[in-house]
Amino acid sequence: MAQISPPSPPEAGSGQPSLKRVMGPGLLLLFIVGDILGTGIYALTGQVAGEVGGAAWLPFTIAFVVALITACSYLELVTKYPQAAGAALYVHKAFGKHALTFLVCFAVMCSGITSASAASRAFAANLATGFGLDVGNGVILLIAVGFMLLILAVNLRGVGESVKLNVVLTAVELSGLLMVIVLSLYFISGGHADFSRVVAFETPADKNVFLAASAATSLAFFAMVGFEDSVNMAEETKDPTRIFPRMMFAGIGITGLIYVLVSVCAVAVVPVGQLAESETPLVTVVQTAAPGVPIASLLPFISMFAVANSALINMLMASRLLYGMSKQGVLPPFLSAVHATRRTPHAAILFTTVIAVALITFVSLVPDSPVVALLGGTTSLLLLAVFAAVNVAVLVLRRDVTGTEHFNAGRVLPVVGTVTCLYLVLPWSSGRPSGQYEIAGILLVVGAILWGASWLSARRRRA
């Protein structure tokens, strides 16, 4: 089995600096929490309730458990191989198949860049709404591109600045969700809530209980993804083997608790039908719980910070992924270039930004396209398939003894993680619409074409 060895530290005088280790436990925890708490919870609560009725907390709980199981596999691998590149690196070490490695790399990169691109578009729309700007689609596009260039500047300046900005944005995200919880509890304490709705399980007419629960969990899982991005920051984390397990479990636990509380409060305060029909379900919750609070005018700005954080972290992840795989020799070597003074992977950052700007332009030119509505589900689909591969890779790599102390996920959890992830991927069990598979298929075909072009180019150079 062909394997790639871990990259060696740069030798003195090699001219290639290493990434700067700036993330301690606090910054890593906020990175994980900020990544998971993206825009999903602000928009998905109503849609999840539309699938299962008042028991909207159940899909979020199942998604939390699935994420926690898969996180154990990631923890074993990131503490065993504390390098950038994440899932693609693990799959390559396990199977040694460059085609498979490239597709995993491409799938993860696409999920991050697509999410960041959609977040940039959402940022521009929320900015226009927040300031009451009556502008056309062209201006919204320019704002979105300008925002992505701002993210580019922050990432180029250094990971220290990026993760510190993440601290501020995460605090704003948390404040919005805590506002929902506190005001809902005030409403509930007054005896106005209807807790009978919280245990009411109602499914659409075209789905049975299991299919509805699976479809709702697939939606809810999109709100839980993000914890896997942190492993791509391993080379910029202080003592990753020691601090990653504690911070990963803490981050997933905090966000899972917040999601369950928000979903329970939302259903107790607002009838399920009204919640499912609202495009801004949490605004509806707070307007019902405390009509005097001007949340409608505050929410666009809170959402701006939330989507900005998602864009920042996803672009960090995508650039480090390309950098790591280039460093392993799977992608062209220019993508592993590190800036001499800022010590950031500037080539990978520029490359991913170009792709993101192209995606923003496409989304903005066809704002009513069903592709836009299905991007979140497609991201979840791609990542769940990657998670299944990572869970298998853990078991395969047990034969690779590194001689260093690392986290151990055991033998049962990776198997359970593989089965549950595949269950939420397959069309006959997940309840996903066919459009998600069509988009994912197109993306993977594009990835296969790019890998083929890279392979042919390398073959010609060797000839």
Side-chain angles (χ1 to χ4, degrees):
M1 181 177 65
Q3 282 191 333
I4 49 178
S5 58
S8 300
E11 297 177 1
S14 66
Q16 183 68 292
S18 61
L19 297 182
K20 188 176 182 180
R21 295 189 182 274
V22 298
M23 297 182 70
L27 286 179
L28 181 61
L29 176 61
L30 286 170
F31 185 95
I32 295 170
V33 171
D35 202 359
I36 298 176
L37 283 182
T39 55
I41 189 63
Y42 284 93
L44 288 179
T45 307
Q47 297 178 41
V48 171
E51 291 286 347
V52 295
W57 53 271
L58 180 60
F60 283 108
T61 303
I62 298 173
F64 163 75
V65 173
V66 174
L68 195 61
I69 292 172
T70 300
C72 290
S73 293
Y74 269 93
L75 283 174
E76 176 168 337
L77 293 172
V78 74
T79 54
K80 192 175 183 180
Y81 311 106
Q83 305 152 27
L89 172 65
Y90 310 145
V91 169
H92 192 78
K93 282 184 174 292
F95 305 107
K97 302 295 183 182
H98 283 265
L100 178 60
T101 301
F102 189 90
L103 286 178
V104 170
C105 174
F106 191 80
V108 176
M109 185 192 72
C110 281
S111 69
I113 295 178
T114 304
S115 297
S117 302
S120 298
R121 169 74 189 192
F123 178 92
N126 277 287
L127 185 146
T129 301
F131 287 101
L133 303 177
D134 186 13
V135 295
N137 190 52
V139 176
I140 295 293
L141 171 58
L142 290 176
I143 295 173
V145 171
F147 170 74
M148 186 53 66
L149 294 178
L150 178 62
I151 294 294
L152 166 67
V154 173
N155 283 344
L156 284 175
R157 180 163 178 79
V159 70
E161 286 76 6
S162 299
V163 295
K164 288 172 185 175
L165 179 58
N166 169 62
V167 171
V168 177
L169 297 178
T170 299
V172 176
E173 284 181 298
L174 282 171
S175 69
L177 296 175
L178 291 177
M179 182 187 302
V180 173
I181 294 172
V182 170
L183 293 178
S184 296
L185 290 177
Y186 173 79
F187 182 81
I188 292 170
S189 66
H192 306 296
D194 184 358
F195 274 101
S196 65
R197 292 195 293 260
V198 176
V199 294
F201 200 99
E202 301 172 5
T203 63
D206 60 337
K207 295 178 181 177
N208 59 38
V209 172
F210 289 104
L211 200 60
S214 298
T217 302
S218 298
L219 284 173
F221 196 82
F222 177 67
M224 285 301 305
V225 299
F227 66 88
E228 77 286 352
D229 289 348
S230 63
V231 302
N232 294 295
M233 308 301 293
E235 290 187 41
E236 291 159 288
T237 301
K238 303 173 184 177
D239 195 6
T241 301
R242 183 178 63 84
I243 71 172
F244 249 100
R246 291 185 291 118
M247 295 306 102
M248 182 79 83
F249 288 135
I252 294 177
I254 290 170
T255 51
L257 178 61
I258 290 174
Y259 283 178
V260 170
L261 285 174
V262 168
S263 57
V264 168
C265 290
V267 173
V269 173
V270 179
V272 173
Q274 184 181 350
L275 195 67
E277 293 173 0
S278 175
E279 295 183 2
T280 54
L282 299 190
V283 175
T284 304
V285 171
V286 176
Q287 286 177 334
T288 304
V293 177
I295 187 63
S297 60
L298 290 177
L299 187 68
F301 297 101
I302 294 176
S303 298
M304 280 169 56
F305 283 105
V307 299
N309 206 25
S310 295
L312 174 65
I313 294 179
N314 276 291
M315 293 307 290
L316 273 171
M317 176 275 294
S319 62
R320 270 58 180 184
L321 173 59
L322 290 188
Y323 159 81
M325 292 315 300
S326 174
K327 197 173 179 182
Q328 293 292 322
V330 179
L331 294 177
F334 78 90
L335 291 171
S336 63
V338 176
H339 195 277
T341 56
R342 301 308 309 177
R343 294 171 65 183
T344 54
H346 62 284
I349 292 172
L350 289 169
F351 188 82
T352 51
T353 301
V354 169
I355 298 176
V357 170
L359 283 171
I360 296 167
T361 304
F362 171 76
V363 171
S364 298
L365 290 178
V366 284
D368 297 325
S369 169
V371 174
V372 179
L374 293 172
L375 281 177
T378 305
T379 301
S380 171
L381 172 63
L382 288 169
L383 287 179
L384 281 165
V386 170
F387 292 170
V390 170
N391 280 305
V392 174
V394 169
L395 298 175
V396 174
L397 288 171
R398 290 282 166 80
R399 71 186 69 169
D400 182 17
V401 180
T402 60
T404 58
E405 184 178 355
H406 59 81
F407 184 87
N408 192 309
R411 294 192 176 276
V412 175
L413 288 180
V415 174
V416 174
T418 302
V419 172
T420 53
C421 288
L422 289 177
Y423 181 87
L424 294 173
V425 164
L426 299 175
W428 50 83
S429 58
S430 65
R432 295 175 180 273
S434 60
Q436 293 182 14
Y437 296 96
E438 294 170 3
I439 299 170
I442 292 172
L443 289 173
L444 292 178
V445 167
V446 171
I449 293 172
L450 290 176
W451 178 83
S454 300
W455 181 81
L456 287 175
S457 177
R459 185 177 181 182
R460 288 171 183 168
R461 287 196 301 269
R462 290 193 298 267

